[in-house]
């Protein structure tokens, strides 16, 4: 049997906060993954894909981390049905690159294509089409999971269904996902027929959102610095996959202008300091982006990359926050008025968010640790201002929990166990399933320890 090479290395999520030391192995195959697991010397273990979780969901201090990004085989594909079986380290972008030319697209994609299939399942990622397509897990047909016992089992809606549902959105805590069978979506082209609309405040956002149910994908950028009558102003974007004929008329859309502005910021080469982003520069960015879009509607046909993954065009855009890193706060609340209360707290705090995205989810709720549920979701990136930021986020937590909302664990780095239990009311049912498959708590993460989901 091959001996696995374990080596200590610093590890961080996309927010670059926190950074931990962990013993890591980088297997090249599923058999090497099993070897690594068996040679962990009794330590707790966790899988880590491309590190696009923002906080500590894919980190494990004083434990073993299996880096799965080299598990990249496409195992089987049915050209007629669009059913694909693939290893867990393949990214969303690699799936699109291979299967879009054949007329198939990934049915749910997040804001970056550099997310592995295993990560997409573990976080049960959502896209701009939650109201129509649900989450990534809704399109997973089966999985192969390496369990705490060392056994590899196949699970699906009909086979070990408790393990299947606990693994979807289970934050990697039920085992290591080795492969998955996924239903792809048939498309005529990868281009998006898009409309973008500038709106003046939160009320106008909700009105346009109600009028956009016929659009498969919707998302909006908002200015979270502005208060008063302009609170929540922004740009609404809605779209559908374009026909082959429409795809021949590609043009630049407003999302590409975000890329241009972020790239200019990085080109300032100040990102290794903590001086680049502050309330003044964020206000200037927001003013420039908002006014660059003319009043009224713009119609265009844009490529899938600028529509779905605008910031992927800016290499290491997370460095724009400087050495201190950043924290993303993404929440969903069932009541619209709560969004106004949250924006008011942020505006009054003087701690502006550089990038703020708002959209409305459909009603699908998987329970357990899965994030999306009916309501309005708001994602905010804050430079790491330290204690004042953490204190403000605790205020936001209280507002979110009070109305029955929750924050996204895949983006989290600091939620308390008490607040987590208020936000995720079915967490105990999830843990009962997890404990049946992993009674000794072999699979852990810094997030699971912080939230009291596993020992440690």
């Amino acid at each position: 049997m091959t001996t696995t090479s374990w080596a200590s290395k610093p590890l961080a999520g996309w927010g670059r906060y926190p950074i931990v030391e962990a013993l890591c192995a980088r297997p090249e195959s599923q058999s090497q993954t099993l070897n690594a697991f068996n040679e962990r010397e009794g330590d707790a273990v966790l899988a880590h894909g491309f590190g696009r979780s923002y906080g500590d969901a894919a980190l494990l201090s004083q434990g073993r981390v299996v880096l799965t990004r080299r598990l990249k085989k496409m195992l089987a594909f049915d050209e007629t049905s669009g059913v694909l079986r693939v290893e867990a380290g393949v990214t969303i972008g690699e799936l699109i690159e291979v299967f879009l030319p054949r007329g198939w697209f990934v049915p749910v994609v997040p804001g970056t294509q550099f997310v592995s299939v295993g990560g997409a399942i573990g976080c049960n990622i959502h896209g701009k089409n939650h109201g129509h397509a649900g989450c990534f897990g809704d399109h997973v047909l089966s999985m192969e999971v390496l369990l705490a016992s060392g056994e590899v089992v196949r699970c699906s809606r009909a086979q070990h269904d408790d393990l299947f549902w606990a693994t979807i959105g289970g934050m990697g805590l039920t085992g290591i996902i080795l492969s998955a069978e996924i239903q792809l979506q048939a498309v005529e082209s990868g281009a998006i027929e898009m409309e973008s609309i500038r709106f003046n405040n939160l009320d106008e956002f909700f009105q346009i959102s109600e009028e956009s149910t016929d659009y498969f994908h919707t998302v909006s950028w908002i200015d979270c610095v502005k208060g008063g009558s302009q609170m929540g102003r922004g740009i609404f974007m809605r779209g559908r996959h374009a026909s082959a004929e429409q795809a021949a008329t590609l043009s630049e859309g407003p999302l590409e202008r975000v890329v241009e502005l972020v790239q200019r910021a990085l080109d300032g080469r100040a990102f290794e300091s903590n001086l680049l982003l502050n309330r003044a520069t964020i206000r200037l960015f927001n003013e420039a982006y908002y006014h660059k879009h003319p009043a009224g509607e713009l119609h265009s046909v844009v490529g899938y990359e600028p529509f779905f993954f605008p910031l992927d065009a800016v290499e290491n855009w997370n460095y724009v926050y400087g050495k201190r890193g950043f924290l993303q706060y993404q929440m969903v609340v069932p009541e619209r008025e709560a969004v106004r209360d949250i924006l008011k707290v942020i505006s009054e705090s003087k701690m502006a968010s550089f990038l703020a995205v708002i959209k409305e989810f459909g009603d699908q709720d998987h329970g357990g640790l899965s994030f999306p549920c009916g309501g309005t979701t708001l994602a905010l990136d804050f430079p790491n201002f330290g204690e004042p930021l953490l204190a403000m986020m605790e205020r936001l937590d209280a507002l979110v929990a009070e109305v029955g909302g929750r924050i996204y664990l895949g983006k989290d780095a600091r939620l308390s166990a008490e607040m987590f239990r208020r936000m995720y009311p079915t967490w105990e049912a999830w843990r009962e399933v997890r404990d049946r498959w992993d009674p000794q708590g072999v699979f852990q993460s810094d997030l699971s320890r912080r939230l009291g989901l596993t020992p440690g």
Side-chain angles (χ1 to χ4, degrees):
M1 179 181 290
T2 304
T3 300
T4 302
S5 174
W6 289 97
S8 181
K9 62 176 290 183
L11 210 57
W14 187 243
R16 304 173 72 212
Y17 169 85
I19 300 173
V20 305
E21 279 293 319
L23 279 173
C24 299
R26 194 186 298 275
E28 304 277 348
S29 64
Q30 291 191 26
S31 62
Q32 288 187 9
T33 304
L34 267 62
N35 290 348
F37 179 80
N38 291 327
E39 295 170 6
R40 71 187 191 283
E41 299 179 355
D43 291 342
V45 67
L46 181 71
H48 179 107
F50 276 72
R52 290 301 178 117
S53 294
Y54 282 65
D56 57 1
L59 305 182
L60 181 57
S61 308
Q62 301 176 337
R64 306 276 182 142
V65 177
V66 178
L67 307 176
T68 59
R69 60 179 62 181
R70 291 183 180 172
L71 302 179
K72 301 182 74 68
K73 291 179 183 171
M74 309 282 187
L75 301 170
F77 182 62
D78 186 324
E79 295 277 1
T80 304
S81 66
V83 173
L84 167 71
R85 191 160 64 90
V86 64
E87 288 189 334
V90 175
T91 66
I92 298 290
E94 289 165 338
L95 293 182
I96 295 172
E97 182 182 359
V98 172
F99 294 102
L100 180 58
R102 303 185 190 190
W104 299 94
F105 202 79
V106 180
V108 172
V109 298
T112 173
Q113 60 189 312
F114 301 116
V115 169
S116 67
V117 167
I121 295 171
C123 290
N124 199 17
I125 60 168
H126 58 273
K128 299 173 176 62
N129 56 351
H130 184 262
H132 290 272
C135 300
F136 192 85
D138 290 306
H139 307 273
V140 176
L141 305 179
S142 67
M143 292 174 276
E144 282 187 314
V145 183
L146 170 59
L147 301 174
S149 63
E151 180 187 9
V152 176
V153 300
R154 180 182 183 276
C155 60
S156 67
R157 289 168 177 79
Q159 184 177 10
H160 302 310
D161 61 321
D162 59 339
L163 176 65
F164 180 79
W165 289 114
T167 301
I168 290 176
M171 308 306 294
L173 298 171
T174 59
I176 297 177
I177 301 168
L178 298 176
S179 68
E181 194 176 40
I182 304 163
Q183 175 66 64
L184 299 184
Q185 174 194 0
V187 295
E188 196 170 330
S189 82
I192 301 296
E193 174 197 5
M194 188 181 85
E195 291 181 4
S196 58
I197 307 166
R198 199 172 83 181
F199 53 91
N200 294 310
N201 52 47
L202 205 55
D203 289 335
E204 289 189 18
F205 162 78
F206 285 121
Q207 179 183 340
I208 297 169
S209 185
E210 288 178 0
E211 296 167 354
S212 302
T213 54
D214 289 343
Y215 291 82
F216 204 68
H217 303 280
T218 60
V219 66
S220 299
W221 167 84
I222 65 167
D223 180 352
C224 67
V225 176
K226 279 288 183 183
S229 62
Q230 289 190 302
M231 177 185 286
R233 72 176 184 176
I235 298 170
F236 196 103
M237 286 152 280
R238 57 193 186 189
R240 313 179 180 92
H241 278 278
S243 67
E245 185 178 347
Q246 290 171 318
T249 62
L250 281 179
S251 61
E252 182 182 274
L255 285 166
E256 284 163 305
R257 298 184 195 115
V258 176
V259 172
E260 179 187 335
L261 289 169
V262 174
Q263 190 65 64
R264 282 184 195 171
L266 283 169
D267 288 345
R269 310 310 277 173
F271 59 83
E272 283 304 328
S273 74
N274 286 331
L275 303 176
L276 180 59
L277 285 179
N278 51 47
R279 186 174 174 84
T281 56
I282 291 172
R283 181 185 293 277
L284 288 172
F285 172 89
N286 287 357
E287 288 289 339
Y289 184 56
Y290 182 76
H291 288 290
K292 202 160 185 173
H293 191 290
E297 297 181 13
L298 284 179
H299 300 263
S300 56
V301 177
V302 300
Y304 74 84
E305 287 180 303
F307 185 79
F308 291 117
F309 318 120
L311 288 177
D312 282 352
V314 183
E315 187 177 1
N316 295 326
W317 66 261
N318 54 333
Y319 279 66
V320 76
Y321 298 92
K323 290 181 178 177
R324 61 191 169 185
F326 72 104
L327 289 86
Q328 184 168 104
Y329 191 90
Q330 182 166 3
M331 58 77 186
V332 58
V333 287
E335 297 178 8
R336 292 177 171 180
E337 194 58 34
V339 179
R340 201 180 312 278
D341 294 338
I342 286 165
L343 287 177
K344 186 177 179 183
V345 169
I346 295 168
S347 178
E348 291 175 351
S349 75
K350 310 299 182 187
M351 286 178 286
S353 168
F354 179 44
L355 293 173
V357 174
I358 188 171
K359 58 192 171 191
E360 292 196 281
F361 282 151
D363 292 330
Q364 300 96 324
D365 183 350
H366 286 276
L369 306 187
S370 187
F371 167 67
C373 60
T376 307
T377 182
L378 184 61
L380 306 146
D381 286 353
F382 293 96
N384 183 6
F385 293 113
E387 284 300 324
L389 176 65
L390 299 177
M392 184 196 72
M393 287 183 166
E394 288 183 4
R395 289 187 62 195
L396 299 182
D397 291 343
L399 288 172
V400 171
E402 182 66 27
V403 297
R406 61 184 66 152
I407 72 166
Y408 192 3
L409 300 182
K411 306 286 183 71
D412 178 46
R414 27 62 53 195
L415 185 70
S416 71
E418 177 187 1
M419 197 58 76
F420 159 75
R421 292 173 184 186
R422 289 182 61 190
M423 293 179 175
Y424 285 84
T426 61
W427 72 276
E428 288 180 294
W430 173 89
R431 196 174 71 173
E432 285 178 8
V433 175
R434 198 207 84 97
D435 288 351
R436 279 202 297 274
W437 293 94
D438 182 8
Q440 303 302 318
V442 170
F443 293 102
Q444 301 185 18
S445 66
D446 286 353
L447 177 139
S448 76
R449 292 169 173 173
R450 175 164 52 82
L451 300 183
L453 291 167
T454 57

